[in-house]
Amino acid sequence: AGAGAGESLLKRRIRACAESIIKAEQELTALDERSGDGDCGMTMRRGAEEVLANVAGYPEEEGDALAAVASSLNRSMGGTSG
């Protein structure tokens, strides 16, 4: 998932955060297995993948972009009970 030509600093940072979460999937899962049901890494990865799939279309204004991130996460991650 590479950044598009001329992508704004805001979108590059959103992309970098999502990519970091995907790379941390195993660590997040291991931590969650100690105190929960072990699905945190998978859930976070699913949300990050949704962000990556949509970041190019997010608004440029910070508040609106963060609201778009939240919408992507809400759509893709579901709820939590553990």
Side-chain angles (χ1 to χ4, degrees):
E7 190 170 65
S8 70
L9 177 60
L10 174 64
K11 289 183 182 182
R12 290 195 314 265
R13 287 182 175 170
I14 291 170
R15 186 179 299 280
C17 288
E19 290 170 347
S20 293
I21 290 168
I22 291 168
K23 288 177 186 172
E25 178 184 0
Q26 289 182 331
E27 182 178 356
L28 293 168
T29 296
L31 291 169
D32 189 36
E33 286 173 343
R34 294 182 191 157
S35 61
D37 56 7
D39 68 345
C40 181
M42 175 187 65
T43 301
M44 295 291 288
R45 184 199 73 231
R46 203 169 46 235
E49 287 172 343
E50 181 76 9
V51 168
L52 289 176
N54 292 289
V55 67
Y58 289 165
E60 293 297 332
E61 195 280 320
E62 289 90 352
D64 293 339
L66 294 176
V69 169
S71 291
S72 291
L73 297 176
N74 188 47
R75 272 193 315 274
S76 62
M77 292 176 66
T80 180
S81 61

